[in-house]
Amino acid sequence: PFEVLVVGGGPAGAAAAIYAARKGIRTGVAAERFGGQVLDTMDIENFISVSRTEGPKLASALEAHVKDYDVEVMNLQKAAKLIPARTEGGYHEVVLENGASLKGRTVILSTGARWRQMGVPGEDEYRNKGVAYCPHCDGPLFKGKRVAVIGGGNSGVEAAIDLAGIVAHVTLIEYDSQLRADAVLQRKLASLPNVKIITSAMTTQVIGNGEKVTGLSYKDRNHGTEHDVELEGIFVQIGLVPNTEWLKDAIALSPRGEIEIDVRGETSQPGIFAAGDCTTVPYKQIVIAMGAGSTAGLSAFDYLIRLPAT
Ligand code: FAD
């Protein structure tokens, strides 16, 4: 059994494991895919103090740093169920999909999130070649170009406002007959000269020239007509889904499925902490996930040293 069992091997989990291991306590990391979303990222330009790096490079650096310490890394292990300890200071159990189970006196959940995809032809082919999901990450790459934002909820409208300040022109495409974002955001968006809003529109295809995105097609849902828009970038903003389906019965989740944590990273169950994109933390970014993972690692240690001696 572990003193600190981390579930998830992205930036948050790696940071949690390093902070815990540096306290000299028995630490393990179980991850479905060590590296997490970073593995799917091309250029990273906002990892502070590093002007520019690439996802796979950062992912290997994360793994190498964790392995500098006495951490048991269990890669390709998917957690299926969490059974919190029945008594304070007892072991929590994490049951893996393969039936095995791991125990930790504290558990740090850092299973991240995934962007909901449109599921249209061209989306996969042109991911990172014009199809993007994170305006904070990739917005500046489209400086002076034309882009679309797919989705008129809060995140889509925020992204459109953000991008309008960087790119030449933004087309916001919403499936419904009206935007769903807060009124104040909609007013702000409507005031911008370089934004066009198209409602009742279903994106049907990402168009490219084999190397990068050159446009998209959408269907007007009122008239059934097909239209093309010429552009260089498409930001898909139809939801970030936390990887927390397996935790529903064990700990408190927000209505969006995010793990509720306090400022110390503790969940509704004593001794169970969480960090990164799977939590209610407001912004989902690498440096933020690393900071949150470090907080959770230190909080787990703090919890352990306060347990009565057995
Ligand atoms: P993740 O990176 O999602 O890691 C989650 C970990 O948990 C993975 O190891 C996963 O395999 C594992 N896991 C999930 N479910 C289970 C389970 N049931 N059992 C066991 N393990 C599980 N951020 C930036 O700051 N800058 C950027 O430029 C940037 N670009 C991005 C580009 C793309 C294409 C994407 C998708 C994201 C980008 N981000 C960027 C966001 C950034 O990658 C995330 O904020 C960050 O990776 C979150 O870290 P995390 O550790 O919380 O979660």
Side-chain angles (χ1 to χ4, degrees), residues 157-238:
V157 173
E158 280 166 17
I161 295 169
D162 173 359
L163 291 165
I166 304 171
V167 305
H169 186 268
V170 180
T171 305
L172 182 106
I173 296 186
E174 163 60 42
Y175 180 84
D176 207 347
S177 57
Q178 55 186 29
L179 303 186
R180 288 159 293 124
D182 298 341
V184 50
L185 291 172
Q186 292 197 38
R187 277 197 297 277
K188 174 77 189 177
L189 185 72
S191 76
L192 300 173
N194 59 339
V195 176
K196 179 177 177 188
I197 300 165
I198 304 177
T199 54
S200 299
M202 184 172 79
T203 312
T204 52
Q205 195 189 164
V206 173
I207 306 169
N209 61 9
E211 274 179 14
K212 50 190 175 51
V213 167
T214 57
L216 64 73
S217 306
Y218 71 89
K219 184 171 170 183
D220 178 328
R221 296 178 59 234
N222 293 328
H223 304 99
T225 47
E226 287 270 349
H227 303 265
D228 289 349
V229 183
E230 272 182 40
L231 41 72
E232 281 89 38
I234 302 171
F235 284 83
V236 183
Q237 296 289 303
I238 53 179

Side-chain angles (χ1 to χ4, degrees), residues 7-14 30-47 75-80 94 96 110-115 127-128 131-134 136-138 240 243-246 275-279 283-290:
V7 184
E32 190 180 356
R33 195 171 63 125
F34 198 95
Q37 291 171 70
V38 171
L39 285 175
D40 305 324
T41 305
M42 289 283 284
D43 294 338
I44 299 168
E45 299 183 341
N46 58 1
F47 185 52
N75 200 2
L76 310 178
Q77 300 297 331
K78 183 168 186 187
V94 172
L96 302 175
S110 53
T111 47
R114 56 190 190 272
W115 294 96
R127 172 165 313 123
N128 292 324
V131 176
Y133 296 85
C134 173
H136 313 302
C137 312
D138 296 340
L240 183 66
N243 298 320
T244 56
E245 292 84 354
W246 62 289
D277 284 14
C278 62
T279 72
Y283 304 104
K284 316 303 197 210
Q285 293 282 281
I286 295 164
V287 284
I288 294 173
M290 285 182 176

Side-chain angles (χ1 to χ4, degrees), residues 120-143:
V120 302
E123 182 177 19
D124 272 341
E125 190 183 346
Y126 290 106
R127 172 165 313 123
N128 292 324
K129 295 172 185 165
V131 176
Y133 296 85
C134 173
H136 313 302
C137 312
D138 296 340
L141 304 177
F142 296 92
K143 189 164 188 257

